[in-house]
Amino acid sequence: MSSQYGKKLKISVFGQSHGKGIGVTVEGLPSGERIDRDQLMAFMARRAPGQSNLTTSRREKDEPKFLSGLENDTTCGFPLCAVIENTDTRSGDYAGLTKTPRPGHADYTALLRYGDSVDMRGGGHFSGRLTAPLCIIGGIAKQILARRGIHVGAHIKAIAGVQDESFPLYPTKEIFDTVAAKSLAVIDDKAGEQMRAEIEKASAELDSVGGIVECAVIGMPAGIGSPMFDGIENRIAQAIFGISAVKGVEFGAGFKSAEMRGSENNDPFTVKDGKIVTETNNCGGILGGISNGMPIVVRAAFKPTPSIARAQQTVNTETLEPATLEIKGRHDPCIVVRAVPVVEAVVATVILDMLMEESTNGSF
Amino acid sequence: MSSQYGKKLKISVFGQSHGKGIGVTVEGLPSGERIDRDQLMAFMARRAPGQSNLTTSRREKDEPKFLSGLENDTTCGFPLCAVIENTDTRSGDYAGLTKTPRPGHADYTALLRYGDSVDMRGGGHFSGRLTAPLCIIGGIAKQILARRGIHVGAHIKAIAGVQDESFPLYPTKEIFDTVAAKSLAVIDDKAGEQMRAEIEKASAELDSVGGIVECAVIGMPAGIGSPMFDGIENRIAQAIFGISAVKGVEFGAGFKSAEMRGSENNDPFTVKDGKIVTETNNCGGILGGISNGMPIVVRAAFKPTPSIARAQQTVNTETLEPATLEIKGRHDPCIVVRAVPVVEAVVATVILDMLMEESTNGSF
Amino acid sequence: MSSQYGKKLKISVFGQSHGKGIGVTVEGLPSGERIDRDQLMAFMARRAPGQSNLTTSRREKDEPKFLSGLENDTTCGFPLCAVIENTDTRSGDYAGLTKTPRPGHADYTALLRYGDSVDMRGGGHFSGRLTAPLCIIGGIAKQILARRGIHVGAHIKAIAGVQDESFPLYPTKEIFDTVAAKSLAVIDDKAGEQMRAEIEKASAELDSVGGIVECAVIGMPAGIGSPMFDGIENRIAQAIFGISAVKGVEFGAGFKSAEMRGSENNDPFTVKDGKIVTETNNCGGILGGISNGMPIVVRAAFKPTPSIARAQQTVNTETLEPATLEIKGRHDPCIVVRAVPVVEAVVATVILDMLMEESTNGSF
Amino acid sequence: MSSQYGKKLKISVFGQSHGKGIGVTVEGLPSGERIDRDQLMAFMARRAPGQSNLTTSRREKDEPKFLSGLENDTTCGFPLCAVIENTDTRSGDYAGLTKTPRPGHADYTALLRYGDSVDMRGGGHFSGRLTAPLCIIGGIAKQILARRGIHVGAHIKAIAGVQDESFPLYPTKEIFDTVAAKSLAVIDDKAGEQMRAEIEKASAELDSVGGIVECAVIGMPAGIGSPMFDGIENRIAQAIFGISAVKGVEFGAGFKSAEMRGSENNDPFTVKDGKIVTETNNCGGILGGISNGMPIVVRAAFKPTPSIARAQQTVNTETLEPATLEIKGRHDPCIVVRAVPVVEAVVATVILDMLMEESTNGSF
């Protein structure tokens, strides 16, 4: 098993980068939810390639065709299947990659796992292109959540060490919208300019850079999640590592909290507008795996794009001889730019899943 | 659902800190595996409280009683149930905690989630005491893995900002054993001394500190794991957030890789002793969710113990009036010290689960 | 995986017949449900051995000890663990059974599946004794359902070909209670007398008989269940084959409907007391896997007890020589008698699980 | 959740009868398995409508398009997605069916479950048409199993009370092939003629008939399956109720065993060709949920097609007034005829799933 997640929602992603099509099936969506197609396409466009000089020149419309589950733009209760046909593929670029596997890529491990029949053209099922189906269901989840006053937004927290501001204690839908409209999804445009310079510099040097995406959920009901292995952290962490290139995840103060004193890290309870809240949010809205009503805050670390144009050292898997690899193909010098909506999508999907599952809070 | 994880192994943890007993049921263990009880007890002793002045003074033998699944110290194929009876409990210490919830704790969210009937004496099911059952199954998993040449070890990477060395590129069983035998599981004893000083200082100031545990798996077969949501990172991340106080997890270079160039982060392939390996291990032994045969490296960030003796600000959940809380009870000033074997236990269990599940690599 | 079922409720049964103890862990029970212990013990007593001359002479109190999840006789939201310690075991009776496996038993298949370490004393984990834990959680489920006006009852539909009446179109709680109070749970006492005679005759001839249990759920809300693989039939069928000796299951008219015309089998819709109902109930209250509000009706076929005192032909699994087996030990000549509450327990548990899961019907 | 089954194989069926398309996604297929497309199409043709005067006149080629997972007619290890586009639909035939629900159909329960947005044109996701995707994956599973000497075959055991012979103690591939080649898949052609007469008579009287399908698995390895809830019976039963119109399932002697004595029902062990076998097969090849190496034998009872041309009594769900319903559309007078390969498909899929999962038998 691999490309599935969810409990009440059951999401199954399929497709290879250079196969006939990619897509997603989803069971368990609530029935009767109207989906705004334009809004969905606008969301997916934030992930689409070719939007600026910072991303790959591969261009595809990525318009999903809904085979089932959505009639008259409304969910009908039955499993939804959405398909994007692959059109603009150049498989020749990838010939031989399983013989001389790309460092930092799944070429070698996929060969070990699936044998000679594995289809690794364009990265196969490991391709970043497979994040498009995640955005289909994520975009749908965002609309269903928004109807209930729950909003999910993200921004680039860092690229190549250049830091954006963090979200404020109470992020707003306005901040989310403003950030999402920018070509580089940052809060502080000066940081954005520096990031852009770093990406261009790396690109010019046939190299790539990594970064951090910060995501928040506002309007989150308190009391969602379960102890130990089924809390919000467990569920988001499991899902977010499903995005290619993620190597770390943290909630609230995260790794910083490891350096803090308890008196500093503990979020004092107080009352605001007749509601129990905390004065700080080092816990990222989650205590014991369960939401406390404060914004959920999660950050994901992305490694630099492994496909770089520089010559790299590898091994011929058949002869075990050293080999030098020069990767062709069209690659983003920094995938973080396009990963922002993908993180939103994954977080929104997990939150919707957990809300549907836990909506009864143990009473029915 | 909550306290379960595993696919081929199905692990279900139960118990409240001050209830009759805590324990674990496990389905799917291989049959015919001999378990060395002394070795298991020695492993559990590393987690047990009361071993030094750095930990809580609560003392319990924590000796598991095996009700099923283990006959003549050998697994018999049927579900295993192990129980530890609670003996040394002082529930009076916790009276009223759901009315004035402890900052940084699950008191408030548990009340929202489960209502007035929730049993939060001693932290209830959220108590760090529930990591003892994790060590029972983890200790068993470690023995089963060791028989196949796979070893899992961990050390304290940081406490209160004081850094230990990292594991070397190829950690050894000897390093694991040496570290495990110390009262503070560090590689560099000088760092250990500084950490001890930080803990004692925080304790004297009625405060607490957090830290980072680094864990490695050696002898790991290549080709284990699946793409997207069922890779090694997804599975370990989901499970490791089941340890109380974990707020971040990273693999290989983790958050550092977000600051690196691709040319620096990509691990070049090479051949060593006739085997394909990588010259560095920034990927932490995992590419595309699948093991590449290098050591698995994972780090978990622990927040400082939320139970501190200082007066803290909270709210009375009934009156919504501000309240001042002074926590009694016996608490570790730094849970990282005892968390080391717990991280090993969780990682070992996930690895055993994945090995059993994937052993056929798609062919049977 | 094996001894687990449930989605919202996660039930994990453990124990071997002659091990230290048997029991069950359950996650996901609603919090704040009061459990009447006397009522639970009365329910379990219906399954307990030694209640009449028709059942095994093994006598055990089967009183569950609740280690967790139940405080002050009220569920607290956390995983429940209930244990019954084994006391009255005579393992000597079973020496050698894996060498000369009992026909109709799991001795041979367990040996193949788990190897020499398997613990098959008294049938091991396959023993009918493992239905006691099913009755613990089933008895709890029945109380939780009853509080919501949903009642589950069963009776012996047939033993050795002797037929009891079927439940009427609308069974009542009174019928359930009356039947449950009898030593042989039948509607028609004359049929009961004949059944008793058949059992005694078989027993005198060192033989055993099988039979059918019919179970009904009344007060069942309409609209529960999902299409294809997650309907009420799928879920109950999967669970009911978890009771040892069940070899068939049917809903409503079941196998009879295979001989009927559509015009006869289709249940016409009508209105009764302002509610849409059907005039007949050949569908057993289930259409498309989803409840229609009529009583759920399910029947399970039990094979005759495989442990009979007569000499039987088997094979020595080591020498592959023919062997003659004479089974000692204490065995029921007809397990159907004690299986009635077990069927109720399993059905009640599935129904509670589905109600909790589907309570939102896709909207939250 | 609903339209998913499988553990190692994860199968997710999607589509509505009159939507854009139907299909299936499958994760976990072994990599490197060659699939013979002609053989797959021949298998699917056995289920296809329009093959004789006994079935609906709706005609569609039902040729699956593989979007992913199958390259060069070989599985590549990644999730497989197969789609059949709907072409020959006449939705007008079904206008208003949710207002005046068809007796014996899911119209009413689907409305309760999913609300007004439910798409019940042509039966929606409940349509028998959704068995086509089951045959795609089932046909693939059959080929993978056959390569390992495991064959799955089925025949019509009964229609309208007319009985075919049962499979012999040891069915053969030749029997399976012979039966499959007939327009009515029976062993005894005289019984087939009588069945045909019964179907035609019912059809002429604007009515329908039900029946029983018997399925066997030969070459089945012993030792597959797990106790209690994860045995072969549990898994097949859960899946087989996923076929529309199934109302009962039994294994081996099934409901007959309820009338038998233990001495008669127990299958004596003996040795044949150096292998332990049983002299009879009343257990249907399954003891304690685990295969004993004898053929698996399972029977499924199908109710008569609920869509009959006769006027039927229903209720207007809006006004609660009685209504008379005359169903238009094209319906099989007996779905059993086309259900034979569907039962094979479901059983083959479950067996493949269990073999892949249990291939290690607890050792790795």
Side-chain angles (χ1 to χ4, degrees):
Chain A
M1 272 75 61
S2 61
S3 305
Q4 300 194 324
Y5 70 94
K7 295 208 167 178
K8 189 86 179 179
L9 290 182
K10 284 275 184 186
I11 290 152
S12 184
V13 177
F14 59 85
Q16 298 110 242
S17 183
H18 290 206
K20 286 216 181 63
I22 61 177
V24 63
T25 61
V26 186
E27 297 214 15
L29 280 170
S31 185
E33 294 286 336
R34 191 167 173 77
I35 305 305
D36 183 320
R37 294 258 198 156
D38 293 338
Q39 197 178 331
L40 179 61
M41 286 310 297
F43 175 67
M44 291 192 66
R46 290 173 53 203
R47 190 215 71 93
Q51 47 184 337
S52 78
N53 62 331
L54 298 179
T55 65
T56 169
S57 58
R58 181 171 173 176
R59 280 159 199 283
E60 288 178 292
K61 254 193 89 184
D62 281 354
E63 176 147 13
K65 182 177 172 186
F66 292 91
L67 295 180
S68 67
L70 195 72
E71 300 294 328
N72 306 319
D73 288 355
T74 305
T75 59
C76 69
F78 296 136
L80 178 147
C81 181
V83 171
I84 299 171
E85 301 205 359
N86 288 332
T87 50
D88 180 20
T89 59
R90 296 191 202 156
S91 294
D93 288 348
Y94 296 87
L97 287 186
T98 52
K99 243 182 232 173
T100 50
R102 291 171 290 175
H105 257 288
D107 299 339
Y108 174 58
T109 52
L111 181 70
L112 292 172
R113 176 78 169 79
Y114 298 111
D116 288 334
S117 303
V118 73
D119 172 24
M120 287 301 284
R121 295 169 298 158
H125 188 59
F126 297 87
S127 165
R129 183 151 169 68
L130 269 293
T131 56
L134 296 181
C135 285
I136 300 174
I137 175 60
I140 290 172
K142 275 173 64 100
Q143 293 190 27
I144 295 175
L145 291 171
R147 197 165 289 143
R148 285 150 180 86
I150 303 166
H151 300 279
V152 181
H155 72 114
I156 301 170
K157 179 68 187 65
I159 280 181
V162 179
Q163 300 286 323
D164 189 21
E165 290 176 28
S166 291
F167 276 134
L169 181 61
Y170 290 102
T172 61
K173 185 173 179 311
E174 288 63 43
I175 297 177
F176 291 165
D177 291 344
T178 305
V179 164
K182 301 181 185 179
S183 67
L184 231 68
V186 290
I187 300 173
D188 173 1
D189 288 328
K190 279 185 193 152
E193 281 317 299
Q194 279 180 271
M195 290 175 187
R196 189 180 300 272
E198 289 290 339
I199 297 171
E200 286 168 352
K201 193 173 155 218
S203 183
E205 296 172 9
L206 308 181
D207 214 334
S208 63
V209 289
I212 296 171
V213 173
E214 182 175 68
C215 181
V217 184
I218 59 174
M220 181 71 194
I224 302 298
S226 294
M228 298 206 78
F229 303 106
D230 206 22
I232 295 179
E233 288 141 329
N234 309 260
R235 295 277 283 268
I236 288 182
Q238 186 202 3
I240 225 163
F241 279 108
I243 307 173
S244 25
V246 171
K247 294 303 281 186
V249 63
E250 61 177 8
F251 296 85
F255 275 84
K256 284 271 163 53
S257 68
E259 302 174 11
M260 293 159 81
R261 284 281 183 92
S263 57
E264 184 185 6
N265 183 67
N266 284 350
D267 303 304
F269 287 108
T270 186
V271 171
K272 189 187 157 197
D273 305 332
K275 221 181 106 190
I276 296 176
V277 297
T278 57
E279 291 190 349
T280 51
N281 192 14
N282 290 318
C283 74
I286 309 162
L287 289 169
I290 303 172
S291 61
N292 70 353
M294 293 295 288
I296 304 290
V297 179
V298 54
R299 274 176 302 279
F302 287 79
K303 68 180 182 185
T305 320
S307 292
I308 53 176
R310 285 190 190 192
Q312 291 185 88
Q313 172 188 330
T314 183
V315 168
N316 182 309
T317 55
E318 291 173 359
T319 63
L320 294 191
E321 294 294 317
T324 298
L325 181 73
E326 290 191 43
I327 300 175
K328 294 186 185 62
R330 300 154 291 175
H331 301 284
D332 290 353
C334 180
I335 50 175
V336 179
V337 178
R338 291 167 55 201
V340 175
V342 182
V343 171
E344 289 179 22
V346 167
V347 170
T349 310
V350 173
I351 294 298
L352 176 59
D353 187 27
M354 295 190 77
L355 281 167
M356 290 185 69
E357 188 188 9
E358 306 291 355
S359 56
T360 54
N361 279 331
S363 67
F364 63 90
Chain B
M1 273 76 60
S2 61
S3 304
Q4 299 194 324
Y5 71 94
K7 294 208 167 177
K8 190 86 179 179
L9 290 181
K10 285 276 185 185
I11 290 153
S12 184
V13 177
F14 59 85
Q16 299 109 242
S17 183
H18 291 205
K20 286 213 184 62
I22 61 177
V24 64
T25 60
V26 186
E27 298 214 14
L29 280 171
S31 184
E33 295 285 336
R34 191 166 172 78
I35 304 305
D36 183 320
R37 295 259 196 153
D38 293 338
Q39 197 178 330
L40 179 61
M41 287 309 297
F43 175 68
M44 294 193 65
R46 291 172 52 203
R47 191 215 71 92
Q51 47 186 335
S52 78
N53 62 332
L54 299 179
T55 65
T56 168
S57 58
R58 181 171 173 178
R59 281 159 199 282
E60 287 178 292
K61 251 192 91 184
D62 281 353
E63 176 147 13
K65 182 177 173 185
F66 292 91
L67 296 180
S68 67
L70 196 72
E71 299 295 326
N72 306 319
D73 288 353
T74 304
T75 59
C76 67
F78 297 136
L80 178 149
C81 180
V83 171
I84 299 171
E85 299 203 0
N86 288 332
T87 50
D88 180 20
T89 59
R90 296 192 201 156
S91 294
D93 287 349
Y94 296 87
L97 288 186
T98 53
K99 242 183 231 173
T100 51
R102 292 172 290 175
H105 257 288
D107 299 340
Y108 175 59
T109 53
L111 182 69
L112 293 172
R113 176 78 170 80
Y114 299 109
D116 288 334
S117 303
V118 73
D119 171 23
M120 286 302 283
R121 296 169 298 157
H125 188 59
F126 297 87
S127 166
R129 183 151 169 68
L130 270 292
T131 55
L134 296 181
C135 285
I136 300 174
I137 176 57
I140 290 172
K142 274 172 66 99
Q143 293 190 26
I144 296 174
L145 290 172
R147 197 164 289 143
R148 285 149 180 87
I150 303 166
H151 300 279
V152 181
H155 72 115
I156 301 169
K157 179 68 187 66
I159 280 180
V162 179
Q163 300 285 323
D164 189 18
E165 289 175 29
S166 290
F167 275 133
L169 181 61
Y170 290 102
T172 60
K173 184 170 182 309
E174 288 62 44
I175 297 178
F176 292 166
D177 290 344
T178 305
V179 165
K182 301 182 184 180
S183 68
L184 230 68
V186 290
I187 301 174
D188 173 2
D189 288 328
K190 278 184 193 155
E193 281 318 296
Q194 277 180 275
M195 291 175 187
R196 189 180 301 272
E198 289 290 338
I199 298 171
E200 284 168 354
K201 193 172 153 216
S203 183
E205 295 170 11
L206 308 182
D207 214 333
S208 63
V209 289
I212 296 171
V213 173
E214 182 176 65
C215 181
V217 185
I218 58 173
M220 182 72 193
I224 301 299
S226 294
M228 298 208 77
F229 303 108
D230 205 22
I232 295 179
E233 287 141 330
N234 309 261
R235 295 277 282 270
I236 289 183
Q238 186 202 4
I240 225 162
F241 279 108
I243 307 173
S244 25
V246 172
K247 295 303 280 187
V249 63
E250 60 179 7
F251 296 85
F255 274 85
K256 284 270 161 58
S257 67
E259 301 175 11
M260 290 160 83
R261 284 282 182 92
S263 57
E264 183 187 7
N265 183 65
N266 283 350
D267 302 305
F269 286 108
T270 187
V271 172
K272 188 187 157 197
D273 304 333
K275 221 182 107 191
I276 296 176
V277 297
T278 57
E279 290 191 349
T280 51
N281 193 14
N282 291 318
C283 73
I286 310 163
L287 290 169
I290 302 173
S291 60
N292 70 353
M294 294 294 289
I296 305 290
V297 179
V298 54
R299 276 177 299 280
F302 288 79
K303 68 180 185 186
T305 320
S307 291
I308 54 177
R310 284 190 190 192
Q312 291 184 89
Q313 172 188 330
T314 183
V315 167
N316 182 310
T317 56
E318 290 174 0
T319 64
L320 293 192
E321 294 295 316
T324 298
L325 181 72
E326 292 190 42
I327 299 174
K328 292 185 189 63
R330 300 154 290 174
H331 301 284
D332 289 352
C334 179
I335 48 173
V336 179
V337 178
R338 291 168 55 201
V340 175
V342 181
V343 171
E344 289 178 23
V346 167
V347 170
T349 309
V350 173
I351 294 297
L352 176 60
D353 187 27
M354 295 190 77
L355 281 168
M356 291 186 68
E357 188 188 8
E358 305 291 355
S359 55
T360 55
N361 278 329
S363 66
F364 62 88
Chain C
M1 273 74 60
S2 63
S3 304
Q4 299 194 325
Y5 71 95
K7 295 207 168 179
K8 191 86 180 179
L9 290 182
K10 285 275 185 186
I11 290 152
S12 184
V13 177
F14 59 86
Q16 299 111 240
S17 183
H18 291 205
K20 286 215 183 63
I22 61 176
V24 64
T25 60
V26 186
E27 296 214 16
L29 280 170
S31 184
E33 294 285 336
R34 192 166 172 78
I35 305 305
D36 183 320
R37 295 259 197 153
D38 293 338
Q39 196 178 331
L40 179 60
M41 286 309 297
F43 175 67
M44 293 194 66
R46 290 172 54 202
R47 191 216 69 94
Q51 49 185 335
S52 79
N53 61 332
L54 299 179
T55 65
T56 168
S57 58
R58 181 171 174 177
R59 279 158 200 287
E60 288 179 292
K61 254 192 91 183
D62 281 353
E63 176 146 14
K65 181 176 173 185
F66 291 91
L67 296 181
S68 67
L70 195 73
E71 299 295 327
N72 306 319
D73 288 354
T74 305
T75 59
C76 67
F78 297 136
L80 178 147
C81 180
V83 172
I84 299 172
E85 301 204 359
N86 287 332
T87 51
D88 180 20
T89 57
R90 295 191 202 157
S91 294
D93 287 349
Y94 295 86
L97 287 185
T98 52
K99 243 182 234 175
T100 52
R102 292 171 290 175
H105 257 287
D107 299 339
Y108 175 58
T109 52
L111 181 69
L112 293 173
R113 176 77 169 80
Y114 298 110
D116 288 334
S117 303
V118 72
D119 172 23
M120 287 301 285
R121 295 170 297 157
H125 189 59
F126 297 87
S127 165
R129 182 151 171 66
L130 269 293
T131 56
L134 297 181
C135 285
I136 299 173
I137 175 58
I140 289 173
K142 276 172 64 101
Q143 293 189 27
I144 295 175
L145 290 171
R147 197 165 289 143
R148 285 148 181 88
I150 303 167
H151 300 279
V152 181
H155 71 114
I156 301 169
K157 179 69 188 66
I159 280 181
V162 180
Q163 300 286 322
D164 189 21
E165 290 175 27
S166 290
F167 275 134
L169 181 61
Y170 290 102
T172 60
K173 185 173 181 310
E174 288 64 43
I175 297 176
F176 291 165
D177 291 344
T178 305
V179 164
K182 300 182 186 180
S183 67
L184 231 67
V186 290
I187 301 174
D188 173 2
D189 288 329
K190 278 184 193 153
E193 282 317 299
Q194 278 180 273
M195 289 175 188
R196 189 180 299 271
E198 289 289 338
I199 297 170
E200 285 170 350
K201 194 173 153 219
S203 182
E205 296 171 10
L206 309 181
D207 214 334
S208 64
V209 290
I212 295 170
V213 172
E214 182 176 68
C215 180
V217 184
I218 59 174
M220 181 73 194
I224 302 298
S226 295
M228 297 209 76
F229 303 107
D230 206 24
I232 296 178
E233 288 141 329
N234 309 261
R235 295 277 283 269
I236 289 183
Q238 186 202 1
I240 225 163
F241 279 108
I243 308 173
S244 26
V246 170
K247 295 302 281 187
V249 63
E250 61 178 10
F251 296 86
F255 275 84
K256 283 271 161 56
S257 67
E259 302 175 10
M260 291 160 82
R261 284 281 184 91
S263 58
E264 184 185 7
N265 183 66
N266 284 349
D267 302 306
F269 286 109
T270 186
V271 171
K272 189 186 156 196
D273 305 333
K275 221 183 106 190
I276 296 177
V277 296
T278 57
E279 291 190 349
T280 51
N281 192 16
N282 290 318
C283 74
I286 310 163
L287 289 169
I290 303 172
S291 61
N292 69 353
M294 294 293 290
I296 305 290
V297 179
V298 54
R299 275 176 301 279
F302 287 78
K303 69 180 183 185
T305 320
S307 291
I308 54 177
R310 284 190 191 193
Q312 291 184 89
Q313 173 189 329
T314 183
V315 166
N316 183 309
T317 55
E318 291 173 0
T319 64
L320 292 192
E321 295 294 315
T324 298
L325 182 73
E326 291 191 44
I327 300 175
K328 293 185 188 63
R330 300 153 291 175
H331 301 284
D332 289 353
C334 181
I335 49 174
V336 179
V337 177
R338 292 167 54 201
V340 175
V342 182
V343 172
E344 290 178 22
V346 167
V347 170
T349 309
V350 174
I351 293 297
L352 177 59
D353 187 27
M354 295 189 76
L355 281 167
M356 290 185 68
E357 188 188 8
E358 306 290 356
S359 56
T360 54
N361 280 330
S363 67
F364 62 89
Chain D
M1 275 75 61
S2 62
S3 303
Q4 300 194 323
Y5 71 93
K7 295 209 165 177
K8 189 87 180 178
L9 290 180
K10 284 275 185 185
I11 290 152
S12 185
V13 176
F14 59 85
Q16 299 109 242
S17 183
H18 291 206
K20 286 214 183 63
I22 62 176
V24 64
T25 61
V26 186
E27 297 213 15
L29 280 171
S31 184
E33 295 285 336
R34 193 168 170 76
I35 304 305
D36 183 320
R37 294 258 197 155
D38 293 338
Q39 197 179 329
L40 180 60
M41 286 309 298
F43 175 68
M44 293 193 66
R46 290 172 53 200
R47 190 215 71 92
Q51 47 184 337
S52 79
N53 62 333
L54 298 179
T55 65
T56 168
S57 58
R58 180 170 174 178
R59 279 160 202 283
E60 287 178 293
K61 252 193 88 184
D62 281 355
E63 177 147 13
K65 181 177 172 185
F66 291 92
L67 296 180
S68 67
L70 195 71
E71 299 296 327
N72 307 318
D73 288 356
T74 304
T75 58
C76 68
F78 296 137
L80 178 148
C81 180
V83 171
I84 299 171
E85 300 204 359
N86 288 331
T87 51
D88 180 20
T89 58
R90 297 191 201 156
S91 293
D93 288 349
Y94 296 87
L97 287 185
T98 52
K99 242 183 231 172
T100 51
R102 291 170 292 175
H105 257 288
D107 299 340
Y108 175 58
T109 53
L111 182 69
L112 292 172
R113 176 78 169 78
Y114 298 110
D116 288 334
S117 303
V118 73
D119 171 22
M120 287 301 284
R121 297 169 297 156
H125 188 60
F126 297 87
S127 165
R129 182 151 171 67
L130 269 293
T131 55
L134 296 181
C135 285
I136 299 174
I137 176 59
I140 289 172
K142 275 173 65 101
Q143 292 190 27
I144 295 175
L145 291 171
R147 195 165 290 142
R148 286 150 180 86
I150 303 167
H151 300 279
V152 181
H155 71 114
I156 302 170
K157 180 67 188 67
I159 280 180
V162 179
Q163 300 285 323
D164 189 20
E165 290 175 27
S166 291
F167 275 134
L169 181 61
Y170 289 102
T172 61
K173 184 172 181 310
E174 288 63 43
I175 297 177
F176 291 166
D177 290 344
T178 305
V179 164
K182 301 182 185 180
S183 67
L184 230 69
V186 289
I187 301 173
D188 173 3
D189 288 329
K190 279 187 192 152
E193 281 317 299
Q194 277 180 275
M195 290 175 187
R196 189 179 300 273
E198 289 290 339
I199 297 171
E200 285 169 352
K201 196 173 152 215
S203 183
E205 294 172 11
L206 308 181
D207 214 335
S208 64
V209 289
I212 295 170
V213 173
E214 181 176 66
C215 182
V217 184
I218 58 173
M220 181 72 193
I224 302 299
S226 296
M228 297 208 77
F229 303 107
D230 206 22
I232 296 179
E233 289 141 329
N234 309 261
R235 295 276 283 269
I236 289 182
Q238 187 202 2
I240 225 162
F241 279 108
I243 307 173
S244 27
V246 171
K247 296 302 282 188
V249 63
E250 61 178 9
F251 296 84
F255 275 85
K256 284 270 161 56
S257 68
E259 301 175 11
M260 290 159 83
R261 284 281 182 94
S263 57
E264 185 186 4
N265 182 67
N266 284 350
D267 302 306
F269 286 108
T270 187
V271 171
K272 190 188 156 196
D273 305 332
K275 221 183 107 190
I276 296 176
V277 297
T278 57
E279 291 189 350
T280 51
N281 193 14
N282 290 317
C283 73
I286 310 162
L287 289 170
I290 302 173
S291 61
N292 69 353
M294 293 295 289
I296 304 291
V297 180
V298 54
R299 276 176 300 279
F302 288 79
K303 68 180 184 184
T305 321
S307 291
I308 54 177
R310 287 192 188 189
Q312 292 184 89
Q313 172 188 330
T314 182
V315 167
N316 183 308
T317 56
E318 290 173 0
T319 64
L320 292 192
E321 293 296 315
T324 298
L325 180 73
E326 291 190 42
I327 299 175
K328 290 184 190 63
R330 299 153 292 174
H331 300 285
D332 290 353
C334 179
I335 49 173
V336 180
V337 177
R338 291 169 55 201
V340 175
V342 182
V343 172
E344 289 178 23
V346 167
V347 170
T349 309
V350 173
I351 294 298
L352 177 60
D353 186 28
M354 295 189 77
L355 281 168
M356 290 186 68
E357 188 188 8
E358 305 290 356
S359 56
T360 54
N361 280 330
S363 66
F364 64 89

